[in-house]
Amino acid sequence: MTNNSVKKAEIVYIIQPIERENYKILHEEAVALIESAGAEYAGTIYQNIRTVDPATYIGEGKLRELKERLEGLELTVLFNGELSSSQTLNISNALDGKKVIDRTTLILDIFALRAESSEGKLQVELAQLKYLYPRLKGKGEALSRLGGGIGTRGPGETQLETDRRHIRARIHSLEEKLKDTERRRTFQTERRKKDKVITVALVGYTNTGKSTLLNALTGSDVLTKDALFATLDPTARSFEIEGVPFLLVDTVGFLQNLPHHLIEAFKSTLESAVHCDLALIVCDAAGDFETQLSTTLDTLKEMNFSSPYLVVMNKCDLAEASLTDAPRDAVLISAKEKRGLDTLKKRIFGALEEKFVRTTLFVPYTEEKKFSPLRPLFFEQSVKYTENGTEIGAVIPAIYAEQFRDFRKI
Ligand SMILES: Nc1nc2c(ncn2[C@@H]2O[C@H](COP(=O)(O)OP(=O)(O)OP(=O)(O)O)[C@@H](O)[C@H]2O)c(=O)[nH]1
Ligand SMILES: [Mg+2]
């Protein structure tokens, strides 16, 4: 798979269908997607599409208008929706052969640009090929139009000349490779469980500040960026609340109508986060947090998510006044200014309370030997040496509590 990074900013013009109620937000996102792909936004033509034209989607009249407007300009046209290959080709023909891409292609392209781990690369390639496959008709005429630059990163050039059979074989081999990594991860997840590591996952819409929050809570320095899909590979860091260690997992962000193949391809990496003990659903308090929250919950539902979660309203430094309609139980924070983090930690601990028993242990000096195998199983909060033994303030994972019964004072 080849990843052509953008060498010179490509200029992109948007065709924005407006029959959906939230088209303004979809449009804003398209601009952010263009910029996240390293390209430059040029302008928009809005179109109310009452009936979809099977040949050109937007209809001959609108295409003529667009052709006049874009005459002589060198740019790429983004259709902010999904096109079939023949629609892509027909629109391109009507616009003097300009390069035409759709929203899914652009999103897949950004993922291809960002993928760093070998698993991430395989997942993106799989999603791209699965999107491409049904679109490969005849001699691949539509593909030869794509040229270079955004919308063509990934399998584009290398697979251009190959036939459908070749792609099918590649899809199969990618699926096999991914299954292998998946098996290894299941093993890891199981070990974590055995090692009493409690996992807290950061999930949510893209660009809401998940990675910034990971850094703020764990003192790490993972990449944060004002761009869509800055994080692709799950990253885990540990942090402590009241002396108890937790593992915090950062994940890829969501977006409305994420390409289905992309969710499918990333399911396995996301699943390790989805099977967490607690999820923090991060929203941007200064953005459209209702859409962010519902998109996140819908996407999680698709992945059979059933863990408890807390809604975290981030970027409150930008939005204090307008938060009256935030979910009632939401925790308000600013990850960037490190505000509200103590409350958040308390809420995290509170939500996980049933996983722990707080207690005082008393270990007579004569029973040290009997106690020593239990040492690695609990978190020590305080120690006091008395005349006859040691008094320990302890937090014990509930699953081990029973083993401490001879030593519990309360
Ligand atoms: N004003 C303000 N900006 C913030 C806050 N938290 C994060 N940001 C900014 O929001 C942008 C996105 O932050 P990230 O942490 O990369 O967001 P993310 O959710 O990890 O994004 P993806 O990985 O792309 O899904 C960055 O420019 C951050 O500096 C905050 O509390 N207040
Ligand atoms: Mg991130």
Side-chain angles (χ1 to χ4, degrees):
M1 178 167 126
T2 52
N3 281 348
N4 302 345
S5 57
V6 178
K7 289 183 187 78
K8 129 178 129 151
E10 208 167 322
I11 299 167
V12 184
Y13 197 86
I14 301 177
I15 306 177
Q16 176 63 58
I18 60 169
E19 63 282 358
R20 277 179 56 176
E21 210 179 282
N22 63 347
Y23 77 92
K24 282 205 177 109
I25 295 167
L26 287 170
H27 178 260
E28 262 171 43
E29 282 180 359
V31 175
L33 285 170
I34 289 169
E35 284 164 359
S36 297
E40 208 176 295
Y41 164 66
T44 307
I45 189 166
Y46 292 94
Q47 172 66 355
N48 191 359
I49 298 162
R50 260 177 246 106
T51 47
V52 174
D53 184 307
T56 64
Y57 206 107
I58 62 171
E60 300 284 329
K62 205 67 184 178
L63 266 182
R64 262 196 306 277
E65 187 187 324
L66 193 59
K67 178 173 186 264
E68 272 164 33
R69 199 181 293 190
L70 303 182
E71 197 91 69
L73 299 173
E74 207 178 296
L75 37 72
T76 295
V77 176
L78 167 71
F79 177 80
N80 200 16
E82 211 164 280
L83 292 176
S84 69
S85 65
S86 59
Q87 285 164 342
T88 307
L89 192 61
N90 290 336
I91 297 177
S92 173
N93 282 337
L95 300 175
D96 297 331
K98 286 194 169 51
K99 185 168 102 188
V100 175
I101 56 173
D102 66 3
R103 184 174 183 274
T104 300
T105 309
L106 180 56
I107 292 175
L108 290 171
D109 198 56
I110 296 171
F111 271 71
L113 197 65
R114 299 268 198 270
E116 265 174 24
S117 72
S118 56
E119 187 177 19
K121 285 183 181 156
L122 295 178
Q123 287 166 326
V124 176
E125 188 180 354
L126 181 62
Q128 285 179 315
L129 291 178
K130 282 192 163 175
Y131 188 68
L132 208 59
Y133 184 71
R135 289 173 159 68
L136 265 187
K137 284 189 193 140
K139 299 192 192 74
E141 198 188 347
L143 287 170
S144 61
R145 264 231 196 273
L146 290 173
I150 72 164
T152 59
R153 273 182 287 266
E157 290 94 325
T158 44
Q159 259 82 31
L160 272 185
E161 314 77 26
T162 58
D163 60 5
R164 287 165 63 96
R165 200 165 354 128
H166 185 117
I167 292 192
R168 218 164 36 219
R170 180 73 186 148
I171 288 177
H172 182 72
S173 115
L174 286 170
E175 282 173 340
E176 287 301 307
K177 277 191 199 157
L178 283 167
K179 253 187 229 148
D180 252 11
T181 1
E182 209 172 306
R183 267 193 289 273
R184 246 173 288 146
R185 201 187 7 259
T186 315
F187 176 68
Q188 249 176 24
T189 315
E190 263 154 28
R191 212 177 53 195
R192 264 185 208 161
K193 267 193 202 133
K194 220 173 102 228
D195 290 349
K196 69 184 161 94
V197 179
I198 292 188
T199 314
V200 179
L202 290 161
V203 290
Y205 218 68
T206 179
N207 212 33
T208 52
K210 299 178 293 299
S211 302
T212 309
L213 181 55
L214 175 97
N215 287 341
L217 284 175
T218 67
S220 321
D221 192 19
V222 308
L223 172 80
T224 66
K225 202 172 165 185
D226 188 10
L228 305 190
F229 308 120
T231 306
L232 216 60
D233 299 313
T235 313
R237 296 282 187 279
S238 58
F239 74 116
E240 284 189 3
I241 308 177
E242 299 191 29
V244 179
F246 294 92
L247 194 70
L248 192 63
V249 185
D250 189 13
T251 58
V252 58
F254 302 145
L255 196 71
Q256 291 178 75
N257 313 320
L258 263 190
H260 182 71
H261 292 313
L262 203 57
I263 300 180
E264 273 295 311
F266 276 80
K267 223 170 192 167
S268 63
T269 13
L270 274 167
E271 249 160 26
S272 62
V274 162
H275 295 305
C276 57
D277 296 290
L278 177 73
L280 304 180
I281 301 188
V282 183
C283 299
D284 177 350
D288 178 10
F289 52 80
E290 281 170 4
T291 305
Q292 293 167 3
L293 185 58
S294 62
T295 303
T296 304
L297 289 172
D298 287 349
T299 316
L300 287 173
K301 208 191 288 167
E302 238 183 273
M303 288 186 286
N304 300 322
F305 170 82
S306 61
S307 305
Y309 66 85
L310 291 174
V311 176
V312 178
M313 286 288 170
N314 187 34
K315 307 198 188 180
C316 282
D317 53 300
L318 300 176
E320 226 116 27
S322 63
L323 273 177
T324 43
D325 42 356
R328 217 165 0 114
D329 286 343
V331 191
L332 310 185
I333 65 156
S334 165
K336 198 172 175 184
E337 297 191 349
K338 299 196 164 66
R339 272 158 52 189
L341 298 186
D342 286 338
T343 313
L344 176 60
K345 284 186 188 172
K346 279 196 193 108
R347 292 285 302 275
I348 294 173
F349 206 79
L352 293 167
E353 203 135 50
E354 81 240 32
K355 301 217 173 271
F356 301 107
V357 176
R358 273 176 208 264
T359 186
T360 306
L361 304 171
F362 185 75
V363 186
Y365 294 126
T366 51
E367 301 208 27
E368 283 289 351
K369 213 168 165 191
K370 187 179 161 203
F371 185 70
S372 82
L374 298 178
R375 283 224 173 259
L377 300 183
F378 73 100
F379 305 108
E380 199 173 270
Q381 306 268 286
S382 63
V383 188
K384 207 162 86 194
Y385 299 98
T386 68
E387 207 175 309
N388 302 319
T390 320
E391 200 174 283
I392 306 168
V395 175
I396 307 170
I399 44 168
Y400 301 132
E402 184 51 27
Q403 300 184 42
F404 287 81
R405 82 183 161 266
D406 294 345
F407 297 100
R408 278 171 69 172
K409 253 183 102 176
I410 44 165

